[in-house]
Each structure stands twice: as structure tokens, then as C-alpha cells.
Amino acid sequence: VLDGDDMLERLDSTDTITGLPEGAAERTVITVVKYDSAAAFAGVAYGDAVANSAFGTVVSGSGGDLALQGYVTDLVSTVAASGEGWLIQAGTYDGTDWALYSGDVERVSGPFAATTAAERIVIGREIGDAGYATMEVAAVLIYDEALSTTELTTVYDYLNTKYIGAVTN
């Protein structure tokens, strides 16, 4: 349990981060999470605290809704996350547009000009260290392509069977 005093972080300056999609490259991030509360746009993200240089599945600090973090530019849904129990959240970026999914259902999408740099990976905090989320994490998957709807459904079905069906709240 990450309760605000805790976070997981890997910094490129101390341990080179390789293999993550950078710049405007395609990507998908999928997380199995349980958000209890949030004091910032926090969750699972990688990149840098520079405009449009981050990417990750987070919860909005103000409303507790599912969101994608780009840093400065964020994509926020109207789907409640804080206090809602275990869920599967996904974000895709195809080089032009990004989309946020709850389970395998697209909730919100739009244009995004990503300039993501693999400077750090953070779980439980906001990418610029401006706050935290109280949360639990069962799985984090990062793909170097924007998964199709069919592929997302396949991954969702697997994760739902493996984690959500097995978890009791």
C-alpha cells in the first residue's frame, strides 16, 4: 500500500532508463490499481516534469477521477476512481492522439503532442513530486505501441481474470 509517505521511483540520472517509448513514439500503459485518495495527479507515470513530457495512468487530485498525465496537459475523464475499488486503467498514444480507458471502454480521447523523455518512473506520486495518491498497485504494463481495441480487450480480460476476480474488497 502506497499511503502518501511511500512511492516507488527510478531516476535516469542514477540508473539509465532504456526501452520506454519516448518523444512522440506510440505507447500503451495499463495498470491494475485501487485508488483510495489523491492529493495530486498521481498514480503510475514516466517521463519528466516538463509540459507534455510525461505519460501515465493517474487519478486527478481535485476530483478523484481517472486521468492520463502528460504534465501541464492532462486528459481527465468523468469516471470516479478514488474509493471505487480495484480497476483496470489504460492509456494509449498513437503519435497524434491519446485515449483513456477504464477497463476496455474508451472514456475520453483527443489530440496530444507528446515529447516524453524517460527521466524517471514514479508510482504513487505526481511526476513533478507535487503530491501523492494513496493507492495499491497489482500490475503495470507498458507497451511500445498503441494497442488496438481488440488487443486492449484481450489484455483487459486476462488482467480482470488474474487480478480483479481474485481480489476481495
Side-chain angles (χ1 to χ4, degrees):
V1 175
L2 302 172
D3 63 9
D5 295 329
D6 308 313
M7 74 171 181
L8 298 172
E9 177 181 41
R10 181 170 170 194
L11 297 173
D12 187 56
S13 61
T14 57
D15 191 9
T16 304
I17 299 170
T18 60
L20 292 176
E22 294 188 81
E26 290 188 13
R27 71 207 62 173
T28 300
V29 173
I30 302 172
T31 52
V32 180
V33 294
K34 183 176 123 180
Y35 296 109
D36 293 323
S37 65
F41 277 75
V44 176
Y46 76 93
D48 198 6
V50 176
N52 297 353
S53 290
F55 192 82
T57 55
V58 299
V59 61
S60 67
S62 57
D65 295 328
L66 295 178
L68 280 179
Q69 184 170 59
Y71 200 78
V72 178
T73 302
D74 299 303
L75 188 64
V76 182
S77 74
T78 58
V79 177
S82 292
E84 298 296 318
W86 286 95
L87 57 93
I88 299 169
Q89 180 181 9
T92 62
Y93 178 64
D94 66 8
T96 304
D97 295 306
W98 59 351
L100 173 65
Y101 295 81
S102 172
D104 61 347
V105 177
E106 183 179 306
R107 300 301 180 167
V108 62
S109 62
F112 182 62
T115 58
T116 311
E119 294 297 318
R120 65 193 301 203
I121 301 170
V122 179
I123 300 176
R125 303 269 314 163
E126 191 266 344
I127 195 77
D129 217 16
Y132 62 90
T134 302
M135 62 188 288
E136 296 179 53
V137 181
V140 176
L141 291 81
I142 301 175
Y143 295 87
D144 63 356
E145 64 179 295
L147 296 184
S148 69
T149 303
T150 301
E151 291 168 324
L152 281 170
T153 297
T154 300
V155 174
Y156 167 77
D157 289 345
Y158 171 77
L159 293 173
N160 191 50
T161 299
K162 182 169 178 70
Y163 294 105
I164 305 297
V167 174
T168 58
N169 293 327

